[in-house]
Amino acid sequence: QVQLVESGGGLVQSGGSLRVSCAASGSIFSIYGMGWYRQAPGKQRELVAGITSGGSTNYADSVKGRFTISRDNAKNTVHLQMNSLKPEDTAVYYCNADIIGLRRGVPGRDDYWGQGIQVTVSS
């Protein structure tokens, strides 16, 4: 079955950089949009950045100019390079992907989520 696995989170000081990655695996036929969301304690999950299969990107206003999303279609991976990190970027970051794959042996298009990875920025 299809799954998304994130890696690369951790603790960094304010002004530092981190790169989080997500790999999609399983019975995948095609991946459309991929993206990163985040959820801070007591707040709703929000879109951080998204990227289409063709490479078009969009970002939350709060991260524009600091974060860069990229993907490798051959490897079914998406990355988020985070620079100039601020304490308010602290959150659990979730990978999301719109995938055509097999679910219980039946092909279909579904929205998949990773398990989440913690990013903590200290002041």
Side-chain angles (χ1 to χ4, degrees), residues 98-121:
D98 181 8
I99 296 174
I100 295 181
L102 286 180
R103 175 170 276 188
R104 300 186 187 88
V106 177
R109 183 173 179 174
D110 287 292
D111 198 39
Y112 290 86
W113 292 88
Q115 79 283 1
I117 192 164
Q118 180 69 46
V119 171
T120 302
V121 184

Side-chain angles (χ1 to χ4, degrees), residues 34-113:
M34 303 184 82
W36 288 94
Y37 289 71
R38 67 186 181 188
Q39 187 166 19
K43 295 188 176 181
Q44 289 189 332
R45 189 174 298 189
E46 62 174 357
L47 174 67
V48 176
I51 185 167
T52 68
S53 56
S56 297
T57 59
N58 64 288
Y59 296 92
D61 288 342
S62 59
V63 307
K64 282 181 181 176
R66 300 188 297 123
F67 291 11
T68 302
I69 189 171
S70 62
R71 66 188 283 176
D72 184 331
N73 291 332
K75 296 181 179 180
N76 291 338
T77 56
V78 62
H79 311 282
L80 185 67
Q81 177 65 44
M82 302 181 286
N83 299 328
S84 302
L85 282 160
K86 306 175 181 179
E88 50 264 43
D89 294 316
T90 295
V92 177
Y93 283 70
Y94 295 91
C95 176
N96 172 264
D98 181 8
I99 296 174
I100 295 181
L102 286 180
R103 175 170 276 188
R104 300 186 187 88
V106 177
R109 183 173 179 174
D110 287 292
D111 198 39
Y112 290 86
W113 292 88

